[in-house]
Amino acid sequence: MSGAAHAAEGPTAIVIGSGFGGAVAALRLGEAGIRTTVFERGRRWPIRPDGNTFATFTNPDRRAAWFDTSAGISSVGRTPVQPYPGVLETIRGNGLESVHGAGVGGGSLVFGAFTLQPDKDDFTEVFPGGSDYDELARTYYPRARGVLGTSGVPDDILAHPNYVGARSWLKVVSRYGIRPEFVEYAVDWDRVRAELAGRAPAGMSTGDISYGVNSGAKNSVDRNYLPAAERTGFVTIKPMHEVFEIRERSRRPGYVVKARLIDDARRTVRIVTAEADHLFLAAGSFHTTSLLVRARAQGTLPRLSPKIGNGFGGNGDFLIVRTALRDQHGPIQGGPGYARIREERMPGGPATMIYQASPFPAPAGSLATTHLIQVHTDERGTIDYDRSTGGTTLNYPHPAETSVLDRRAIAFAKQFHERTESRFGRPHNGIPIYDRTSGFGSGATFHGLGGVVAGQAATLDGAVKGYDNLYVVDGSFALGAVGLVNPSLTITALAERTMDRFLGRR
């Protein structure tokens, strides 16, 4: 294409990935009239009329795993499957498993639907002196909530028998003695009502949400941001395109991207080469970082910062199961969860805990609940180039026996259990379960963040240092955490601000 022809057609962009950040970038680029191609490695997952789009907790078939030989949430009880482009990929690093979404909608397909805004103190603990929380709170968190369609659990749904677990959690919290915070969720509650009435397949109303929700009750970005982007007429989404190389364009400023168009067996159908003036990376923290780590090591983007790959963390996550409980939580736990508490009085800093509904089979659902504890920690890992394979490895050198995160989270878990369960005449009434080998504790995270950290490898505007017109808009931008909450809303808000600043400069 000649320079004159290119100028007449206008600017172009490529977005790699279609999760929260990629969806924001696609929509705002499309609205600005910039011809944009979105490369997504996974397939589309439209909600089917027969209610069988996604795998379920009780039947984690091949749709639950991204080209893996087994499927399931925890490290135990996984089901053998044939490799397939399913919705969840587990990166088995040295010291940490990091779980990432795959498909049009990325991580939003598999996230827990929690959309929490961090407290200012917690945010600035992670982004010291950095990212203007007040601006985010004033403009970008509300914008993100508006598009994602977030809201609290309605009273009529909370009163349903499926939601006795949420009501019992409030009783437990009252015994502990902390006022709960009632948070919002990216959920279409009318579809949940349809589930409860038997007019739609159960999913959200039974806590079965980790592989997607067959009723369509989860407001993933393939239901809001991405359709709006496509309606602009300037955005094309290309599923099953696995990007493996990025480099500078030689003739004029811009980038060349190479991707494999793959089939359901991950065979290469053909190699696709595309170029654009602007490149936005949104492949998820591990894969965005890996693309840049490889580009630096292989010489296709040699001016990248040596800090690319640093600062990877699990968002302070510590997953526990509480067992043999005093209060009945019901054989079915309606989801996605309910009510967060924040304990300020723990040694070493605050700790938070939230109830997460789980699709335990009856009667286990009455006797056990799942919770995410989060604490501040400086423990971080790296994503490193492996010259023997040409790939990357996640290294997280913080074993449980020396981990500050584990020590603080376990102290809180034990204190909470003692105050709410054990002291009521039943001293051996179960203990919190957080064994790493079972996939609990801090050994695995759905919230892997960092690798292209703001203020280090990228600017606070999301620009990757060393190159013009190259941006990160996903969780790789964060320093391994966002501040004691699930990161989805913060990633969306930060991406909205990055796109505002990018378009403002243009």
Side-chain angles (χ1 to χ4, degrees):
M1 180 187 300
S2 71
H6 170 76
E9 292 181 9
T12 57
I14 291 172
V15 179
I16 302 175
S18 63
F20 291 103
V24 170
L27 174 57
R28 303 312 174 195
L29 290 165
E31 289 176 335
I34 297 174
R35 290 185 296 112
T36 301
T37 299
V38 180
F39 286 122
E40 167 55 53
R41 63 180 174 145
R43 47 164 292 184
R44 285 187 184 264
W45 294 91
I47 299 299
R48 291 169 45 169
D50 64 1
N52 193 33
T53 298
F54 301 106
T56 63
F57 181 84
T58 56
N59 183 28
D61 57 36
R62 65 179 189 164
R63 294 172 294 178
W66 172 259
F67 291 113
D68 207 335
T69 56
S70 64
I73 295 298
S74 69
S75 299
V76 295
R78 291 179 67 89
T79 301
V81 295
Q82 290 295 315
Y84 186 74
V87 295
L88 270 182
E89 180 185 22
T90 301
I91 304 297
R92 296 176 177 89
N94 297 319
L96 182 71
E97 286 191 355
S98 186
V99 180
H100 299 266
V104 175
S108 77
L109 296 172
V110 296
F111 86 128
F114 293 77
T115 48
L116 293 84
Q117 179 176 325
D119 296 333
K120 184 174 182 177
D121 288 347
D122 292 331
F123 183 86
T124 53
E125 174 84 12
V126 179
F127 294 91
S131 284
D132 195 348
Y133 179 89
D134 292 337
E135 180 190 36
L136 289 168
R138 182 173 60 253
T139 301
Y140 297 106
Y141 280 119
R143 182 187 297 177
R145 284 193 292 265
V147 181
L148 293 173
T150 70
S151 58
V153 181
D155 289 343
D156 64 310
I157 289 175
L158 184 63
H160 191 275
N162 281 28
Y163 285 79
V164 65
R167 301 194 300 272
S168 291
W169 169 238
L170 293 184
K171 297 178 184 178
V172 176
V173 169
S174 69
R175 292 202 298 272
Y176 186 74
I178 289 184
R179 184 185 299 274
E181 173 192 358
F182 298 101
V183 300
E184 295 190 347
Y185 308 90
V187 171
D188 181 340
W189 295 110
D190 283 339
R191 288 179 180 264
V192 178
R193 293 184 179 97
E195 291 185 27
L196 293 171
R199 300 191 306 270
M204 188 67 69
S205 62
T206 59
D208 195 350
I209 62 177
S210 295
Y211 307 126
V213 178
N214 281 310
S215 70
K218 186 185 294 187
N219 289 340
S220 47
V221 297
D222 59 321
R223 304 180 64 80
N224 38 71
Y225 273 102
L226 291 175
E230 291 180 303
R231 286 194 296 269
T232 67
F234 288 94
V235 176
T236 301
I237 299 173
K238 295 192 173 184
M240 301 295 282
H241 281 70
E242 197 170 12
V243 173
F244 64 91
E245 181 182 291
I246 54 179
R247 63 173 63 241
E248 280 189 287
R249 191 161 53 184
S250 59
R251 302 185 307 279
R252 60 182 182 276
Y255 296 90
V256 177
V257 168
K258 289 187 177 181
R260 299 180 187 90
L261 173 60
I262 58 174
D263 63 14
D264 285 352
R266 212 176 186 177
R267 295 174 297 223
T268 299
V269 177
R270 64 177 179 272
I271 300 296
V272 175
T273 301
E275 60 180 78
D277 304 313
H278 310 283
L279 178 59
F280 296 83
L281 300 180
S285 53
F286 179 80
H287 289 290
T288 283
T289 305
S290 293
L291 281 169
L292 294 177
V293 166
R294 289 199 303 270
R296 183 185 61 200
Q298 295 172 356
T300 59
L301 294 177
R303 301 192 305 277
L304 288 171
S305 167
K307 295 181 180 180
I308 294 282
N310 294 348
F312 191 93
N315 200 37
D317 289 1
F318 193 91
L319 185 66
I320 70 167
V321 175
R322 296 170 53 246
T323 62
L325 304 172
R326 184 170 181 248
D327 301 281
Q328 292 293 302
H329 284 67
I332 295 174
Q333 295 183 22
Y338 203 58
R340 171 182 179 257
I341 62 170
R342 177 189 173 93
E343 173 58 272
E344 300 278 3
R345 299 162 292 182
M346 295 303 298
T352 64
M353 181 190 291
I354 199 164
Y355 162 63
Q356 299 188 155
S358 295
F360 294 121
S366 298
L367 306 174
T369 59
T370 305
H371 301 270
L372 182 65
I373 292 175
Q374 292 174 308
V375 300
H376 289 302
T377 172
D378 293 332
E379 294 166 351
R380 298 291 184 267
T382 57
I383 297 172
D384 302 304
Y385 184 65
D386 185 341
R387 295 191 179 279
S388 66
T389 64
T392 55
T393 302
L394 170 58
N395 293 299
Y396 190 78
H398 303 289
E401 56 270 19
T402 60
S403 169
V404 172
L405 187 160
D406 286 59
R407 184 169 67 250
R408 292 178 181 172
I410 290 170
F412 179 44
K414 289 182 175 179
Q415 174 176 293
F416 186 88
H417 196 77
E418 167 64 25
R419 291 187 185 178
T420 59
E421 305 292 337
S422 298
R423 68 176 178 165
F424 289 90
R426 302 162 73 180
H428 303 293
N429 195 32
I431 61 172
I433 299 171
Y434 39 74
D435 179 21
R436 280 192 181 191
T437 61
S438 300
F440 301 112
S442 63
T445 181
F446 272 71
H447 303 147
L449 299 166
V452 194
V453 172
Q456 298 182 19
T459 72
L460 295 178
D461 290 344
V464 177
K465 291 184 178 181
Y467 289 88
D468 295 329
N469 299 322
L470 176 62
Y471 293 85
V472 288
V473 289
D474 59 12
S476 62
F477 184 74
L479 182 54
V482 297
L484 305 189
V485 295
N486 306 54
S488 56
L489 187 67
T490 296
I491 291 171
T492 308
L494 287 170
E496 286 279 18
R497 187 173 67 181
T498 292
M499 296 311 299
D500 262 11
R501 292 180 177 179
F502 164 75
L503 293 170
R505 283 191 296 273
R506 290 190 68 256

